[in-house]
C-alpha cells in the first residue's frame, strides 16, 4: 500500500520549531484561554479567578470611567467604524489626535496608523529603500519582520549586538556612503524592561548620517521628560524615551502605540512633516487600511485629558507598585534582566525547569502571567513575564510575591 504524497500543509504541521509552543497551547491553561469576566485586574476563566499580570494596560486607562464615557458620543457622531482609508478621508478626530500627540511628545509632527506592526512592515522598508538596516539583536520580532521585508525589497540587513555602540560603529563605518542607513531598535525592551542608551545611539546616527528608528511601545505613557517636580523616576508626562533621555528628534523617528498605556487600538510615528506627507502617498496602511475603530479614537482623546490631569500621580503609584515586586525579587536573589524600575518584570527559569509545569503552578495559585516559551524567546531565556499596572491592588502584588517566593524556594527560578 503506497503512502499518500505529502502536501504543503503536511510540511507546516511537521515544522518542529513550534512543538514546544503547541504543547503549551493545547495543554496549559495559560495559553489560548477564554476569559469570561473581569473585575478590576481580576479575570475569570471558567470558574477560576486569577490576578492578572499579563495586561499591558500600564496606567489602568482600560478601567477609567471618564475614558469609557467618551466612547458613546463619538460613536453616535461617527458610527462604529468610519471605513475610509486615511488617504480618502479622515474623521476630524484624527487630526485632533495628531495635534495633541505632537504637543505631548514635543515632536516636529506625528502620524497615526492602526498598529505598530503595520508601521514596521510598511514604513521601515520605505525608510531603508535599497540601503542598510542595522538591526539590534534584541529588537522585537515585529521590527525583525519589517527588516526582513525591507531586505526582500532590496535593503541589506546587518545585526549588531544589543546596546553595543562600538559594534554598531564598526558596521556603520564599513557601509558605503550615499545610501540610506536605518538603525532599528526598541526603546524600553518588551522582555527585559530596560532602556538603551538613546543619547549614544542618536549621536552615532548623526555622526554617520543615519536614521535612528526606535519602537517605544512599552515606554510611551510610562516614562517621559525629566523635571525638578517629578513624582517618580519615570519623569513626567509619559512622553516616551526620546524626551526621557533629553534628546531631540534630529535623525530620529519614534514609533509608539496607544494599545498599552492608553488601552486603545492605535499607533503613531513622531517624524518631520515632509516625511509624514511622503508616507501619506507611500505607506500602505495610510493608502489602503481602514482606520482604527471609533471607540479607540475616542479613548485616545480622553486618555490625553486624564494623562494631563492625573497622569503623573498614576505613574508615581505605578512606580511604587512596580518596586514592591522588583525589590522582593531582588531580595530573594532571583535573577531578572530588569536592572531599572519599569513595570516589565521577566523571570527566567532555572536550567532544566519546565515552563509547562511552572505555568500550571502559577495558574493553580491564581496568578496569570505571560509565559515566554521557545521559540518566542531563545531557549536560555524561557520563563515568564509579569507586567505591573496601576490598576493592580496591593493584595494582588502580595499574592504575586508569595508565588515568586514559592517558585524560588523550589529552585524553579534562575538565581
Amino acid at each position: 500500500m503506497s503512502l499518500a504524497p505529502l502536501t504543503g500543509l503536511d510540511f507546516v504541521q511537521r515544522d518542529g520549531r513550534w512543538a514546544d509552543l503547541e504543547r503549551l497551547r493545547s495543554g496549559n491553561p495559560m495559553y489560548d484561554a477564554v476569559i469570561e469576566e473581569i473585575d478590576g485586574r481580576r479575570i475569570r476563566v471558567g470558574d477560576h479567578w486569577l490576578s492578572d499580570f499579563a495586561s499591558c494596560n500600564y496606567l489602568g486607562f482600560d478601567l477609567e470611567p471618564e475614558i469609557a464615557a467618551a466612547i458613546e458620543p463619538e460613536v453616535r457622531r461617527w458610527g462604529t467604524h468610519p471605513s475610509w482609508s486615511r488617504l480618502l478621508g479622515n474623521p476630524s478626530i484624527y487630526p485632533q489626535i495628531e495635534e495633541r500627540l505632537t504637543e505631548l511628545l514635543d515632536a516636529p509632527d506625528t502620524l497615526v496608523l492602526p498598529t505598530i506592526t503595520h508601521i514596521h512592515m510598511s514604513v521601515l522598508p520605505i525608510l531603508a529603500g535599497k540601503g542598510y538596516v542595522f538591526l539590534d539583536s534584541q529588537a522585537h520580532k515585529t521590527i525583525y519582520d519589517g527588516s526582513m521585508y525591507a531586505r526582500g525589497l532590496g535593503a541589506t540587513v546587518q545585526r549588531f549586538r544589543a546596546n553595543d555602540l562600538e559594534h554598531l560603529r564598526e558596521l556603520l563605518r564599513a557601509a558605503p556612503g550615499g545610501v540610506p542607513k536605518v538603525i532599528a531598535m526598541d526603546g524600553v525592551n518588551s522582555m527585559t524592561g530596560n532602556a538603551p542608551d538613546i543619547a549614544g545611539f542618536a549621536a552615532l546616527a548623526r555622526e554617520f548620517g543615519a536614521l535612528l528608528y526606535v519602537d517605544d511601545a512599552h515606554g510611551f505613557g510610562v516614562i517621559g521628560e525629566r523635571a525638578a517636580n517629578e513624582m517618580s523616576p519615570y519623569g513626567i508626562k509619559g512622553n516616551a524615551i526620546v524626551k526621557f533621555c533629553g534628546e531631540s528628534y534630529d535623525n530620529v523617528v519614534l514609533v509608539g502605540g496607544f494599545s498599552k498605556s492608553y488601552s486603545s487600538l492605535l499607533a503613531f510615528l513622531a517624524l518631520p512633516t515632509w516625511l509624514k506627507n511622503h508616507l501619506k502617498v507611500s505607506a500602505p496602511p495610510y493608502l489602503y487600511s481602514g482606520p482604527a475603530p471609533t471607540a479607540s479614537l475616542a479613548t485616545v482623546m480622553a486618555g490625553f485629558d486624564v494623562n494631563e490631569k492625573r497622569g503623573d500621580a498614576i505613574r508615581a503609584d505605578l512606580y511604587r507598585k512596580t518596586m514592591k515586586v522588583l525589590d522582593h525579587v531582588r531580595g530573594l536573589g532571583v535573577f531578572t534582566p530588569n536592572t531599572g524600575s519599569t513595570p516589565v518584570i521577566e523571570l527566567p527559569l532555572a536550567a532544566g525547569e519546565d515552563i509547562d509545569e511552572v505555568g500550571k503552578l502559577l495558574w493553580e495559585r491564581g496568578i496569570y502571567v505571560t509565559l515566554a516559551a521557545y521559540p518566542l524567546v531563545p531557549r536560555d531565556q524561557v520563563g515568564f513575564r509579569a507586567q505591573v499596572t496601576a490598576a493592580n491592588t496591593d493584595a494582588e502584588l502580595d499574592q504575586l510575591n508569595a508565588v515568586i517566593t514559592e517558585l524560588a524556594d523550589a529552585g524553579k527560578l534562575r538565581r
Side-chain angles (χ1 to χ4, degrees):
M1 180 178 177
S2 61
L3 297 175
L6 295 176
T7 69
L9 287 178
D10 290 320
F11 285 106
V12 173
Q13 292 166 357
R14 286 164 170 75
D15 188 337
R17 290 177 303 162
W18 306 106
D20 288 356
L21 201 57
E22 173 57 25
R23 178 171 64 97
L24 290 174
R25 188 205 64 77
S26 60
N28 194 291
M30 287 285 193
Y31 272 179
D32 233 3
V34 177
I35 299 167
E36 299 180 55
E37 185 180 356
I38 69 168
D39 180 9
R41 277 290 174 267
R42 301 270 293 163
I43 63 172
R44 181 173 64 81
V45 179
D47 295 327
H48 192 50
W49 281 93
L50 305 100
S51 295
D52 180 13
F53 292 98
S55 169
C56 289
N57 292 300
Y58 296 122
L59 301 182
F61 280 8
D62 56 319
L63 303 173
E64 276 284 345
E66 179 179 342
I67 293 175
I71 295 173
E72 184 180 358
E74 294 299 337
V75 170
R76 288 187 181 279
R77 183 180 183 188
W78 296 109
T80 58
H81 185 243
S83 63
W84 314 291
S85 75
R86 287 208 63 192
L87 181 65
L88 293 180
N90 295 273
S92 59
I93 195 169
Y94 259 107
Q96 291 166 15
I97 287 172
E98 290 175 348
E99 183 178 342
R100 292 282 299 270
L101 180 61
T102 300
E103 180 182 4
L104 173 64
L105 297 176
D106 191 24
D109 210 336
T110 54
L111 177 67
V112 297
L113 294 170
T115 70
I116 290 177
T117 301
H118 274 108
I119 291 172
H120 293 332
M121 295 299 293
S122 62
V123 175
L124 187 51
I126 292 169
L127 298 178
K130 303 292 185 182
Y132 281 71
V133 177
F134 300 96
L135 178 64
D136 187 308
S137 62
Q138 290 186 357
H140 194 274
K141 179 64 162 56
T142 55
I143 306 177
Y144 173 86
D145 288 344
S147 299
M148 292 302 101
Y149 184 49
R151 185 172 70 178
L153 295 175
T156 299
V157 178
Q158 297 182 340
R159 304 193 79 171
F160 64 92
R161 291 186 293 271
N163 297 316
D164 192 333
L165 286 165
E166 288 310 308
H167 186 210
L168 177 59
R169 180 185 293 277
E170 292 171 11
L171 297 176
L172 287 166
R173 187 181 289 123
V179 298
K181 302 179 184 71
V182 181
I183 303 165
M185 62 191 306
D186 284 333
V188 172
N189 186 274
S190 64
M191 291 302 298
T192 69
N194 296 326
D197 177 9
I198 288 295
F201 283 103
L204 204 55
R206 293 165 193 145
E207 178 183 345
F208 286 91
L211 179 68
L212 180 61
Y213 177 94
V214 183
D215 174 354
D216 200 31
H218 289 265
F220 174 64
V222 175
I223 60 172
E225 64 189 76
R226 311 311 300 269
N229 64 337
E230 62 188 29
M231 302 171 68
S232 79
Y234 292 162
I236 64 172
K237 298 183 181 179
N239 51 6
I241 194 165
V242 174
K243 299 303 293 182
F244 180 76
C245 294
E247 268 300 324
S248 75
Y249 290 94
D250 296 339
N251 290 59
V252 175
V253 167
L254 174 69
V255 178
F258 293 93
S259 64
K260 294 177 173 59
S261 285
Y262 279 66
S263 308
S264 305
L265 180 65
L266 198 65
F268 67 83
L269 299 109
L271 71 183
T273 301
W274 72 263
L275 179 56
K276 173 179 179 174
N277 289 332
H278 176 60
L279 294 177
K280 286 183 176 184
V281 296
S282 60
Y286 198 93
L287 295 169
Y288 309 119
S289 294
T294 302
S296 283
L297 301 176
T299 53
V300 166
M301 285 295 285
F304 286 143
D305 293 336
V306 172
N307 183 60
E308 192 173 301
K309 289 183 288 188
R310 295 186 277 119
D312 289 339
I314 293 171
R315 278 180 282 275
D317 187 49
L318 175 62
Y319 169 75
R320 178 188 67 80
K321 290 174 175 177
T322 297
M323 293 311 300
K324 185 171 185 175
V325 178
L326 279 172
D327 286 344
H328 181 75
V329 167
R330 291 163 182 165
L332 291 172
V334 168
F335 172 74
T336 176
N338 186 332
T339 58
S341 60
T342 60
V344 181
I345 304 171
E346 181 188 3
L347 297 172
L349 301 189
E353 294 299 329
D354 182 13
I355 186 63
D356 186 30
E357 178 186 338
V358 170
K360 287 175 179 174
L361 187 146
L362 287 160
W363 176 272
E364 290 166 2
R365 301 295 186 268
I367 296 293
Y368 193 70
V369 295
T370 301
L371 296 186
Y374 176 83
L376 302 179
V377 297
R379 290 193 185 278
D380 63 354
Q381 295 176 27
V382 166
F384 63 90
R385 183 181 71 186
Q387 289 104 223
V388 178
T389 76
N392 284 115
T393 66
D394 281 287
E396 290 162 2
L397 298 173
D398 291 339
Q399 181 187 11
L400 173 63
N401 282 343
V403 179
I404 292 172
T405 298
E406 180 181 355
L407 289 169
D409 288 348
K412 302 293 185 184
L413 302 178
R414 188 182 306 174
R415 293 283 177 174

